[in-house]
Amino acid sequence: MSTPSFDADVLVVGAGPAGVAATLMATSLNMTVLVVEADSIGGKLQTIGALENVSGNWTTGPQLADALAADLSRLEQAGRCSLVRSRAVGVKGHSDRAEVILADTQVLSARAVVVGTGVTAMAPSDTDWISAAPSLATPPLWRAKPEQIGPRTYVLGGDRPLGTWLRAHPQSSATLHVLAPPTDDYKLAEVSGDDRVRIVPVSHVSLSQPDHGDGFTVEVKDRQGIHRTYTAASVLANLGSRPAALKGLKVDENGYCPPEMQHPRIFVVGDLRSGRYQRITTAQGSGAEAVLSYYYSVA
Ligand SMILES: Cc1cc2nc3c(=O)[nH]c(=O)nc-3n(C[C@H](O)[C@H](O)[C@H](O)COP(=O)(O)OP(=O)(O)OC[C@H]3O[C@@H](n4cnc5c(N)ncnc54)[C@H](O)[C@@H]3O)c2cc1C
């Protein structure tokens, strides 16, 4: 399936588990692939400190990410795929081709585009229950080392990386004070038996940094409307994610990009599809399946 007038047979945006699976399937079917990746190969795998639901005896996400990077490197050396280190900003479908628009305005074209950009971490200013200046930096919990957690460390939000962090650091006795809005209650069941977690149920949080000096002022309104103010040495974000949709994709009411809503030459795979199927193996399966469905549609 050679297409000299295009940059490749298939463009894949995002080299997470979904995009790499799509690339492997496409190259195995003799299609040429150009992969556009803005950051690290492996995507969210880099954040997973303990892994137990993927076959292959992987115990951490970075191990699997290294294996995916090795797959891409092998395919590149064999001349079957190329990696473009760039951020994609948009996609466009036409009757004979699909395009990816890069941040530097370059336009790539192919017969089909697979988009596996996943979800991206929310900042405090992206939520409706935290007031904070957009410039206020709160590093992610998943990246924190146990020795960085002190007695006055607060965690914003009870999203699932909390359970992963606790499993990844079973020897740590650090206490995590988790400020949790009502929408996170159902996620906290997973950590309710762990006495290293102190849940602070909140309805609103205002976060600021004093002009001079270290730390944060954390003003909390609890679920009964009572206000309390804490002084935190450090604040870590654990707020969940939002879909990393590209311009030109059709989105649903939650910001996800259901595959069935897209142009016939544009295939959405992995976490970007829906909040319901955000797992490594479903991402891989969806990447491979999208390429096969394109392959059979033109065969
Ligand atoms: C802390 C944590 C723990 C988890 N634990 C597990 C677990 O134990 N088991 C499990 O099955 N799942 C787990 N998951 C979920 C799993 O990581 C995801 O389901 C999976 O990584 C989704 O793969 P993906 O390829 O769709 O997206 P991602 O892995 O998010 O990859 C998307 C890729 O696209 C790139 N990208 C994004 N935007 C652009 C752009 N505009 N241009 C170019 N490139 C772009 C990103 O840099 C990234 O490399 C966990 C997730 C987190 C955050």
Side-chain angles (χ1 to χ4, degrees):
M1 197 188 283
S2 160
T3 50
S5 56
F6 296 129
D7 294 292
D9 293 316
V10 178
L11 298 173
V12 172
V13 187
V20 174
T23 303
L24 285 163
M25 183 57 76
T27 53
S28 78
L29 296 167
N30 258 344
M31 294 188 254
T32 57
V33 180
L34 214 153
V35 182
V36 179
E37 171 54 56
D39 196 345
S40 307
I41 291 171
K44 289 282 176 308
L45 298 180
Q46 305 289 356
T47 71
I48 305 176
L51 190 59
E52 44 194 32
N53 63 352
V54 180
S55 61
N57 206 24
W58 311 107
T59 54
T60 72
Q63 281 178 350
L64 178 52
D66 284 349
L68 299 191
D71 281 333
L72 284 190
S73 162
R74 173 174 51 82
L75 292 173
E76 267 193 293
Q77 279 166 22
R80 295 156 79 188
C81 98
S82 314
L83 184 59
V84 176
R85 295 284 189 175
S86 183
R87 178 163 295 278
V89 292
V91 286
K92 202 165 184 185
H94 300 271
S95 58
D96 63 337
R97 69 191 189 285
E99 294 171 341
V100 172
I101 300 106
L102 303 183
D104 66 3
T105 72
Q106 191 187 347
V107 178
L108 303 172
S109 63
R111 294 247 183 247
V113 170
V114 175
V115 185
T117 47
V119 293
T120 189
M122 289 209 289
S125 54
D126 290 331
T127 72
D128 56 6
W129 62 275
I130 302 174
S131 304
S135 57
L136 196 134
T138 50
L141 167 68
W142 66 262
R143 208 193 280 271
K145 302 219 164 20
E147 57 273 23
Q148 295 170 315
I149 310 281
R152 289 187 296 121
T153 296
Y154 284 77
V155 177
L156 297 172
D159 201 44
R160 295 228 158 81
L162 177 59
T164 306
W165 193 92
L166 293 165
R167 282 195 299 281
H169 302 291
Q171 311 302 339
S172 168
S173 56
T175 300
L176 295 168
H177 299 273
V178 179
L179 305 175
T183 44
D184 283 359
D185 285 352
Y186 77 101
K187 300 176 193 166
L188 290 166
E190 190 188 325
V191 298
S192 60
D194 196 315
D195 58 15
R196 295 174 292 168
V197 177
R198 300 265 186 284
I199 309 286
V200 184
V202 302
S203 61
H204 193 268
V205 171
S206 295
L207 205 57
S208 57
Q209 275 184 303
D211 290 341
H212 304 290
D214 296 331
F216 294 79
T217 302
V218 184
E219 294 174 64
V220 168
K221 184 177 168 194
D222 74 12
R223 307 263 180 98
Q224 284 72 46
I226 296 168
H227 291 256
R228 286 193 181 80
T229 301
Y230 302 97
T231 304
S234 61
V235 176
L236 301 170
N238 183 42
L239 294 165
S241 336
R242 60 181 167 76
L246 301 178
K247 201 168 166 231
L249 290 174
K250 302 269 190 306
V251 298
D252 68 13
E253 66 282 6
N254 299 314
Y256 285 99
C257 305
E260 64 279 8
M261 286 172 66
Q262 311 306 322
H263 186 280
R265 291 187 181 275
I266 297 176
F267 298 81
V268 171
V269 298
D271 282 7
L272 184 61
R273 294 170 300 157
S274 152
R276 289 195 169 183
Y277 308 115
Q278 298 194 348
R279 295 291 185 276
I280 295 160
T281 52
T282 53
Q284 291 174 320
S286 70
E289 191 170 313
V291 168
L292 276 180
S293 86
Y294 166 65
Y295 179 74
Y296 285 120
S297 74
V298 293

